[in-house]
Amino acid sequence: MGYSASPIKRPRRTKAQIEELRSALYAIAESARPCSARHIYYLGIGRLWEKDVGRSRRNYSVVVRELGFMREHDLMPWDWLVDGTRSVRLDDQYASVEDALAHTAQSYRRNLWASQRRRVEVWCESDSAAGVLVPVTTAWGVGLYSCRGQSSKTYVREAVVESLRQPKPLTTCFVGDWDPSGRSVPRSVLERMERYGAGQLDLDFQQIAVTAEDVRSGRLLTHYVNTADVNYKRYQQECLDEGIDPNSAVEVEALDPGLLRSRLSDAIEALVDDVAAWSHLARAERAERELLDSLHARVSEALRRDAEEPPAP
């Protein structure tokens, strides 16, 4: 039996409509940066396009295509969008000792958490969320762990081993979806952390987003739940316990990136228990960075003079 193409064809956008779409994409990206293409897609739902249903990715694909075109044609800065799914493993290399000193002076950080009673880490379900959270974790000097779905046993155990080298209570801030698979991820991470810690890890596990309150508020875009998911029954009971419809779910990309960063930053700041000690180390960090800048300048001057001196006869 043969199959023919569907006679239903969607009209192509006019040039003016494409320019209007690109202008809207630019405005969203500018206000949400840094963010992922998926965040931009969510921020435009209901205003610029409808949410894709079923297995369709038509509207999301248009967003990805146009964002790619705009960046490749210098219509949008590349660094407005993040992609945490690609990484390069390479040791730091420098053109000279002067280059190394310059880099060290720029990147030098004191471990301000050494002055605090506990350590803090941020875990997130996806690389998409990680890219949005990096500015916050960098500013606060805390580790950012991306589970990439269900985190591996090795990944969690290595994190626990590293934590046990530093005998302090640990607070883990988690960011992930509110759906059957998304709710299973923090449960798995928490269970493995406690098991691999063998009673030696003093752990406080906090869900920063998406929370039950986020879902109950009704302010976030929801989607239907896959009831065939192996995690659905447990998810269903959790939703009923929280007074939430178990047939709806919320992805973390439904939260405005700025709101997500602000919420995480507030949560981390609240964990700084000795503000005076933190401020003291922060001042020391600034002085030490100035010292490194001065050392870099002196080395650069010495190298310049050496290059200008005529060779010995």
Side-chain angles (χ1 to χ4, degrees):
M1 180 178 178
Y3 294 89
S4 59
S6 170
I8 301 175
K9 291 186 176 181
R10 296 183 177 88
R12 295 176 64 87
R13 287 186 174 89
T14 65
K15 183 177 180 180
Q17 288 172 327
I18 291 175
E19 291 302 318
E20 184 178 1
L21 173 62
R22 289 173 182 166
S23 177
L25 288 171
Y26 184 97
I28 293 175
E30 184 178 30
S31 63
R33 60 192 172 100
C35 62
S36 66
R38 190 162 182 79
H39 276 99
I40 292 179
Y41 161 72
Y42 263 92
L43 291 170
I45 290 175
R47 295 190 296 119
L48 302 172
W49 46 76
E50 296 304 313
K51 191 177 189 300
D52 292 325
V53 295
R55 296 186 178 182
S56 171
R57 291 168 60 88
R58 178 177 179 272
N59 291 328
Y60 178 67
S61 296
V62 169
V63 171
V64 172
R65 184 188 70 223
E66 291 302 324
L67 289 173
F69 177 91
M70 293 171 69
R71 286 175 292 162
E72 289 179 344
H73 291 79
D74 297 325
L75 301 176
M76 177 185 293
W78 282 91
D79 59 3
W80 284 11
L81 267 66
V82 293
D83 180 2
T85 64
R86 310 293 193 270
S87 62
V88 178
R89 297 178 183 271
L90 180 67
D91 290 338
D92 290 339
Q93 300 176 6
Y94 306 100
S96 64
V97 66
E98 182 182 5
D99 182 36
L101 281 170
H103 180 270
T104 301
Q106 292 171 3
S107 61
Y108 175 74
R109 294 289 301 273
R110 267 268 194 156
N111 177 15
L112 304 186
W113 291 99
S115 66
Q116 304 302 300
R117 189 178 65 84
R118 63 174 50 249
R119 295 178 54 249
V120 178
E121 293 175 351
V122 175
W123 287 64
C124 59
E125 181 181 344
S126 66
D127 289 323
S128 171
V132 171
L133 301 175
V134 163
V136 177
T137 56
T138 298
W140 283 103
V142 300
L144 175 60
Y145 295 78
S146 174
C147 297
R148 298 185 175 183
Q150 195 61 262
S151 188
S152 72
K153 294 179 176 66
T154 299
Y155 190 61
V156 178
R157 184 181 179 280
E158 288 177 352
V160 170
V161 169
E162 180 59 31
S163 292
L164 292 177
R165 292 195 183 104
Q166 306 175 59
K168 282 187 175 184
L170 170 66
T171 293
T172 296
C173 300
F174 187 85
V175 173
D177 300 337
W178 187 280
D179 60 20
S181 294
R183 294 303 298 144
S184 73
V185 173
R187 283 198 300 267
S188 173
V189 170
L190 177 58
E191 185 275 328
R192 289 173 179 174
M193 279 185 160
E194 292 178 337
R195 179 152 49 93
Y196 299 149
Q200 300 179 56
L201 187 63
D202 185 349
L203 177 64
D204 171 35
F205 199 92
Q206 301 181 6
Q207 180 88 17
I208 303 302
V210 175
T211 65
E213 180 57 34
D214 287 328
V215 183
R216 278 196 297 266
S217 72
R219 294 190 295 268
L220 300 177
L221 187 69
T222 63
H223 62 84
Y224 289 111
V225 171
N226 176 16
T227 57
D229 191 307
V230 294
N231 301 294
Y232 177 71
K233 285 193 176 297
R234 192 164 182 177
Y235 173 79
Q236 181 184 42
Q237 187 58 54
E238 183 177 12
C239 286
L240 293 175
D241 292 343
E242 293 286 354
I244 295 171
D245 179 5
N247 294 311
S248 63
V250 175
E251 294 186 18
V252 71
E253 285 84 2
L255 273 74
D256 180 85
L259 172 62
L260 185 58
R261 284 190 287 267
S262 176
R263 182 183 296 184
L264 178 61
S265 183
D266 289 346
I268 296 174
E269 183 176 10
L271 295 168
V272 177
D273 50 63
D274 190 336
V275 177
W278 181 281
S279 300
H280 174 75
L281 284 187
R283 289 192 296 271
E285 178 188 72
R286 288 192 295 271
E288 289 160 351
R289 188 176 290 117
E290 290 173 359
L291 176 63
L292 287 168
D293 283 331
S294 175
L295 178 61
H296 170 236
R298 290 199 299 270
V299 169
S300 297
E301 177 62 21
L303 290 173
R304 184 188 63 78
R305 287 198 308 266
D306 185 62
E308 292 175 350
E309 289 180 1

